[in-house]
Amino acid sequence: MTARSVDLEVQLGRLKLSNPIMVASGTFGYAREMENIVDVSQLGAVLPKTITAEPRIGNAPWRTVETSGGLLNAIGLDNDGVDVFLEHHLPYLAKIGTSVVVSIAGRTEDDFVQLAEKVGSQEGVSAVELNLSCPNVSGGIDFGTNAESCRSVVAAARSKTGVPILAKLTPNVTKIADIAKGAADGGADAVCLINTVLGIAVDWRKQKPILGNGMGGLSGPAIKPIALRCVHQVAQAVDIPIIGIGGIANIDDVMQFLVTGASAVQIGTANYYDPTVSTRLIEQLPHAVAELGHQAVSQCIGTLRV
């Protein structure tokens, strides 16, 4: 088996990608910021920064804190709102030469439904990711912590848009497999695991939290074992594809998620300190797949022996 002959295509429900390397929402801007650094057309998919119905100024500073093996953030979904996104960002994104998955967040089920309908009807949108799991804002997190609420919002959004729907879930729950079942029952094409792990950073001299929001979401290598555990548990519970997220920075990380049960991965925190990591992983992926003796990425998925 040679790397040259490896098929990198993956199928995420109704969404087909040229390869399984995606960039996570909130870590890649609106792609325009990266155009002189990364050939974005090589990516399996780009997820621009999460948008909401109305503009949001986000949380008070500090918004980020480096930790041991990770990054703690509490941005608060700072964005200009859906109308500005559709007018100023989507026309550019629609021409970048790869799949565009738009991440949306709402405080209510109606917010999610209206956003999914509005965004999903636009040319150039390949899929919608429901951000049901942001730990830094009130509202949306509730949908990611209750299986029935998750099912309901996914089903409602699915009924109003024809594009594939991905449900991004939080690890800050007792049993993530139950929430994933809710998303699957609601008609999600795939689930994205995981969003950040809730944490806090403290300035002991001031006796105060460092982040302006108090708590924030931990990402980066420190959470990879948690993300792998969640992917493993959900893979045993649902039949829909899984997109792995959490601490992915090299080809070994990618392959670990694939064999554990993920059909694709999203690169997040690594984009901040190694902006070209995503395209380098695409170059390395065929060699890793061939090393396992496979002809396609799809043959590696869920092959973990336990």
Side-chain angles (χ1 to χ4, degrees):
M1 182 57 55
T2 64
R4 189 185 300 271
S5 63
V6 169
D7 180 3
L8 298 185
E9 281 192 353
V10 293
Q11 192 76 40
L12 305 175
R14 294 170 295 155
L15 177 64
K16 178 182 284 189
L17 303 183
S18 61
N19 67 73
I21 308 299
M22 312 166 75
V23 286
S25 174
T27 69
F28 209 72
Y30 295 101
R32 193 192 305 268
E33 299 90 329
M34 307 295 282
E35 66 181 1
N36 293 323
I37 303 172
V38 178
D39 181 358
V40 295
S41 67
Q42 293 184 28
L43 300 171
V46 167
L47 284 89
K49 185 174 176 58
T50 297
I51 57 171
T52 53
E54 302 296 332
R56 287 180 59 93
I57 61 172
N59 292 325
W62 291 93
R63 292 183 173 189
T64 60
V65 178
E66 288 190 46
T67 68
S68 299
L71 179 70
L72 197 64
N73 89 83
I75 306 300
L77 298 183
D78 178 359
N79 77 102
D80 294 328
V82 64
D83 292 332
V84 172
F85 173 80
L86 296 180
E87 182 178 354
H88 294 288
H89 297 298
L90 186 57
Y92 170 81
L93 287 163
K95 298 177 182 178
I96 63 175
T98 191
S99 297
V100 175
V101 179
V102 180
S103 175
I104 62 174
R107 291 181 179 274
T108 66
E109 183 173 299
D110 284 344
D111 282 348
F112 276 103
V113 171
Q114 291 173 21
L115 278 167
E117 183 175 17
K118 191 170 188 177
V119 171
S121 65
Q122 304 296 315
E123 186 175 350
V125 175
S126 304
V128 171
E129 180 185 74
L130 306 182
N131 186 352
L132 305 172
S133 54
C134 183
N136 311 313
V137 294
S138 60
I141 186 67
D142 299 331
F143 296 106
T145 58
N146 179 277
E148 174 53 29
S149 295
C150 182
R151 184 209 62 77
S152 179
V153 71
V154 170
R158 179 72 184 263
S159 71
K160 293 296 184 178
T161 181
V163 299
I165 289 180
L166 316 179
K168 189 172 184 178
L169 305 183
T170 176
N172 304 306
V173 294
T174 303
K175 194 172 181 181
I176 195 169
D178 289 346
I179 314 300
K181 287 179 184 177
D185 290 344
D189 288 82
V191 288
C192 306
L193 314 172
I194 56 176
N195 207 327
T196 53
V197 178
L198 197 60
I200 188 170
V202 172
D203 184 330
W204 67 267
R205 291 183 175 87
K206 294 181 180 179
Q207 299 171 276
K208 294 179 61 178
I210 297 175
L211 292 174
N213 193 55
M215 290 188 288
L218 180 65
S219 62
I223 73 166
K224 190 182 78 170
I226 298 172
L228 284 169
R229 181 264 298 174
C230 290
V231 169
H232 175 62
Q233 290 178 325
V234 170
Q236 312 307 307
V238 302
D239 293 327
I240 61 174
I242 297 167
I243 300 168
I245 317 167
I248 300 169
N250 57 53
I251 193 61
D252 291 329
D253 297 331
V254 173
M255 295 305 295
Q256 288 167 17
F257 274 89
L258 292 177
V259 301
T260 301
S263 296
V265 297
Q266 291 181 17
I267 314 302
T269 301
N271 289 318
Y272 293 124
Y273 61 84
D274 188 2
T276 62
V277 62
S278 53
T279 49
R280 188 167 64 254
L281 292 175
I282 295 168
E283 294 172 0
Q284 296 171 344
L285 185 57
H287 299 278
V289 173
E291 186 177 336
L292 290 180
H294 295 315
Q295 297 178 332
V297 166
S298 59
Q299 294 175 314
C300 302
I301 298 168
T303 56
L304 187 66
R305 300 169 184 169
V306 292

